[in-house]
Amino acid sequence: MTRLGETPPLHPAFSLFPVVNGTLSVGGMSLSALSDRAGGTPFYVYDRAKMTERVKLLRRHFPSEIKLHYAVKANPMPDVVAHLAKWVDGADVASGGELTVAKNAGFSAAETSFAGPGKRPEELAQAVEWGALVNVESVREVDILTRLAEELGRSPRVAVRVNPDFGLKHSGVKMGGGPQPFGVDVEQVPLLLAEIGRRRLTFEGFHIFSGSQNLQSAAIVESQNLTLELAIRLSAWAPGPVRVLNIGGGFGIPYFPGDQPLDLAPIGENLRRWMTPLRAALPEAQITGEMGRYLVGEAGVYVCRILDRKVSRGKTFLVVDGGMHHHLAASGHFGQVIRKNFPVAIGNRMGEPATETVSIVGPLCTPMDLLADCIDLPLAQVGDFVVVFQSGAYGFTASPHRFLSHPPPSEILV
Ligand SMILES: *Cc1c(COP(=O)(O)O)cnc(C)c1O
């Protein structure tokens, strides 16, 4: 714990963006310039160069044969998706709405896949008409796709999303292993594959995604090994060659004090070792990794302004014009078990020593509307900027923005 008067140890996020005359700058623009561009606070700003850097970083570590997809749900802002469409190989979408976003952003049907535990018939039709790959997650979906094949005179492209018999250890979010609404349990996959073989469907391969927000490369390596072994085993039941093998992602970013950035080197080395055995076992398979948070999370900053300073029985509150209705994750209510502060700063007082302990709250009449609890910050005034780092993923669209009828934040890409 830093004592007042000391400069706190900086979260790695603090060095992501330059500081000019004590003020944070994103994409070469100061906070006031950004605020003008956004039409005032609160707003999200996303730095396109940071996203590009992340894609390049992954490509430096991964074998060149591996394709990289963007999981649109992490940040579906159209400009962000259009930017990534220029840099990654494909998109993974989780709804008909996201499918439209990916299409409009310039992704092709051939490089878009659609996963999700509850796909409506209209959404499946939308995917089939466009020609996207459907990652099927139940027999019902196979039935609907078979009907659509007849109606539309098409042969829908399908991959089987597998719920493996293992999870991704040490993950912030577990999405595979044990009972899951996602995918088809591995035990049931051989029967489903046989069924797919009897239908007018084009079998493409497998999708195996076991977890998210992981910072431990050893856990990711282990889960990738299990995933690749599983895919090879399942291919024995496949009605055709495996052409697509989506091995998921799960790459996390450091949010909280003590979190260390993910070390990509061991993951890249392990994947490199796999390329030869994979070519032997699944010669036609295109291996794909899908990333959401890792590509966009660090590129985004949420910016709001201090509306009021209040002291209540010795506790100081900074009341800001944004809050949990825009940024649920920073309030601690997006899947966190224990509430911890996101990296937060007074954006126009960067580098000033911390001189007081404050809590930063939003305008909502609920104690849940808390952006930072008891943090040490420089003495801040009404009108100062509060910035929340690591806000490029699962921000605005993962928040209850209609709650209390405040206006939504703007989002800008710089
Ligand atoms: C949410 C999701 C992702 C993205 O996860 P991140 O942690 O943002 O990388 C990838 N694939 C599937 C199937 C998902 O549901």
Side-chain angles (χ1 to χ4, degrees):
M1 180 83 196
T2 327
R3 258 175 280 140
L4 291 181
E6 285 177 2
T7 311
L10 291 183
H11 185 281
F14 280 67
S15 49
L16 287 172
F17 300 97
V19 170
V20 182
N21 299 327
T23 294
L24 192 78
S25 149
V26 180
M29 294 172 79
S30 72
L31 287 176
S32 340
L34 290 165
S35 176
D36 289 346
R37 162 93 84 93
T41 53
F43 63 92
Y44 278 95
V45 54
Y46 311 118
D47 183 338
R48 71 179 78 223
K50 288 271 177 282
M51 299 178 198
T52 316
E53 264 172 43
R54 294 295 263 198
V55 176
K56 290 183 177 167
L57 181 67
L58 285 167
R59 293 214 196 273
R60 266 205 302 284
H61 284 279
F62 281 11
S64 56
E65 302 95 305
I66 293 191
K67 286 200 173 171
L68 199 57
H69 278 198
Y70 176 52
V72 172
K73 82 171 190 283
N75 188 331
M77 186 217 184
D79 293 350
V80 166
V81 183
H83 175 69
L84 284 168
K86 290 186 259 169
W87 290 93
V88 299
D89 305 304
D92 291 320
V93 300
S95 70
E98 285 189 0
L99 193 114
T100 302
V101 170
K103 187 177 175 179
N104 292 343
F107 283 105
S108 72
E111 57 188 22
T112 299
S113 62
F114 177 20
K119 304 182 191 76
R120 284 180 287 123
E122 309 85 81
E123 294 178 298
L124 287 166
Q126 190 189 346
V128 172
E129 276 168 19
W130 190 37
L133 177 68
V134 178
N135 295 332
V136 292
E137 314 205 14
S138 73
V139 178
R140 167 195 159 266
E141 290 185 355
V142 170
D143 288 342
I144 294 174
L145 289 168
T146 307
R147 205 188 66 220
L148 286 166
E150 308 287 312
E151 283 173 20
L152 301 170
R154 304 281 281 267
S155 176
R157 299 167 54 224
V158 300
V160 174
R161 180 170 182 185
V162 180
N163 174 29
D165 45 6
F166 56 87
L168 175 53
K169 287 180 194 150
H170 313 290
S171 276
V173 187
K174 285 211 165 52
M175 292 181 71
Q180 291 288 350
F182 314 110
V184 177
D185 291 352
V186 60
E187 311 82 278
Q188 297 169 14
V189 168
L191 266 178
L192 187 70
L193 288 170
E195 203 49 54
I196 288 171
R198 285 192 281 274
R199 311 290 181 95
R200 182 177 173 177
L201 301 172
T202 305
F203 172 78
E204 298 262 356
F206 298 108
H207 175 212
I208 308 176
F209 176 79
S210 43
S212 178
Q213 181 47 24
N214 200 299
L215 291 173
Q216 303 199 19
S217 40
I220 291 178
V221 163
E222 184 193 301
S223 125
Q224 286 183 339
N225 290 342
L226 293 169
T227 297
L228 293 167
E229 285 158 14
L230 178 60
I232 293 171
R233 249 183 295 134
L234 287 175
S235 70
W237 284 278
V242 173
R243 295 195 203 96
V244 172
L245 178 50
N246 183 332
I247 60 170
F251 294 24
I253 62 170
Y255 285 103
F256 306 120
D259 282 359
Q260 293 302 318
L262 179 66
D263 181 6
L264 291 181
I267 301 170
E269 280 159 31
N270 186 55
L271 288 172
R272 237 169 266 287
R273 278 194 296 275
W274 265 103
M275 288 300 116
T276 306
L278 272 173
R279 262 191 299 273
L282 306 172
E284 294 184 39
Q286 171 60 61
I287 314 294
T288 303
E290 53 178 354
M291 309 280 158
R293 187 192 317 268
Y294 194 79
L295 294 180
V296 295
E298 300 204 334
V301 181
Y302 178 60
V303 182
C304 44
R305 260 187 208 270
I306 300 175
L307 290 174
D308 211 342
R309 274 184 73 91
K310 296 169 76 167
V311 179
S312 165
R313 308 209 162 105
K315 183 167 177 173
T316 302
F317 293 94
L318 303 178
V319 187
V320 294
D321 59 4
M324 71 168 281
H325 53 312
H326 298 164
H327 202 331
L328 187 67
S331 80
H333 297 282
F334 188 65
Q336 296 99 323
V337 181
I338 302 166
R339 191 193 175 286
K340 293 180 190 164
N341 290 328
F342 266 50
V344 166
I346 304 297
N348 52 310
R349 298 180 190 278
M350 302 297 291
E352 287 183 23
T355 50
E356 63 173 351
T357 304
V358 298
S359 289
I360 303 179
V361 299
L364 308 190
C365 290
T366 161
M368 284 161 67
D369 192 8
L370 180 65
L371 286 181
D373 189 29
C374 297
I375 56 165
D376 298 339
L377 287 178
L379 186 67
Q381 302 299 335
V382 169
D384 282 354
F385 290 105
V386 167
V387 296
V388 183
F389 294 100
Q390 309 298 72
S391 297
Y394 306 106
F396 171 51
T397 58
S399 304
H401 68 101
R402 306 277 301 270
F403 188 36
L404 272 102
S405 305
H406 287 282
S410 1
E411 294 180 282
I412 55 174
L413 176 70
V414 294

